[in-house]
Amino acid sequence: MTPREFGERFFDFAATAFRVEARDAYAVSAEAEAMRRFLAGEPYGLEWLDGWLRAVAGAAAQGRAVRRVRVVSRPLGDYARFGLDVARHAVRAGEEIRYLPRERAAALGVPERDCWLFDDARLALLDFDGDGVLRAVEPVTDPALVASQRAANELAWREAVPAEAFARAVLPPAPSAPVEAGRARAGRVSGGGGSSGGPG
């Protein structure tokens, strides 16, 4: 399945969508300017993320949950710090995001596998190239692998730290960007979203 096809079907889930992010950085052209501004200490807008924020808010209003665990190396690199700062906007929109240090994930035996698990039953493995560009999405139907990932997700979620608390511990105060910045894009949700948000 292509990233575009995955993005178009993403919000078809009934109750839960659970993301595990295993990389320290992702390559997403749409967020490059916002990241540049963040690293320069400048305010950044959210036009590039507005479609995702609105879609998440809509799902939350319907009682559907979007959850994300980010497995991160410490100290955080530039991309991870940017993603953590942006996470506060996704959390306000209704996404639930937690952070799990990589060494803790390894001790727990949590597999470092980029994936989405929908409704605890449909697993999608995300294939990134060496630069962090999402190349393809592989649907998995093997019940044993789905069950294994579900158990790993539950363990990671229990052990991970909510984004707000994690940010207070590792980030200095940063300029804020209004959640309402920009206009939502009609149609599909981008399938190439990176660590700062989106289905990729």
Side-chain angles (χ1 to χ4, degrees), residues 35-51:
M35 181 174 170
R36 184 198 68 76
R37 288 177 174 272
F38 169 78
L39 295 177
E42 302 171 359
Y44 57 87
L46 295 177
E47 296 87 351
W48 54 278
L49 193 60
D50 197 55

Side-chain angles (χ1 to χ4, degrees), residues 5-6 10 13 19 24 45 48 58 63 77 81 95 112-113 131 138 144 152-153 159 182 187 192 194:
E5 291 169 336
F6 181 65
F10 182 86
F13 67 90
R19 172 77 158 97
D24 283 322
W48 54 278
R81 290 192 299 110
E95 186 172 355
E112 295 191 13
R113 181 165 53 215
D131 294 324
E138 178 188 356
N153 288 358
E159 295 288 330

Side-chain angles (χ1 to χ4, degrees), residues 103-112 148 152 155:
E103 64 272 18
R104 181 58 178 157
L108 293 169
V110 174
E112 295 191 13
S148 174
L155 178 59

Side-chain angles (χ1 to χ4, degrees), residues 117 121-123 125 138-150:
L117 181 63
R122 295 183 293 114
L123 179 61
L125 302 182
E138 178 188 356
V140 174
T141 57
D142 179 1
L145 185 53
V146 171
S148 174
Q149 188 64 53
R150 181 169 58 245

Side-chain angles (χ1 to χ4, degrees), residues 109-134:
V110 174
E112 295 191 13
R113 181 165 53 215
D114 274 273
C115 63
W116 278 101
L117 181 63
F118 299 97
D119 299 322
D120 283 339
R122 295 183 293 114
L123 179 61
L125 302 182
L126 308 182
D127 178 26
F128 292 89
D129 67 16
D131 294 324
V133 176
L134 181 61

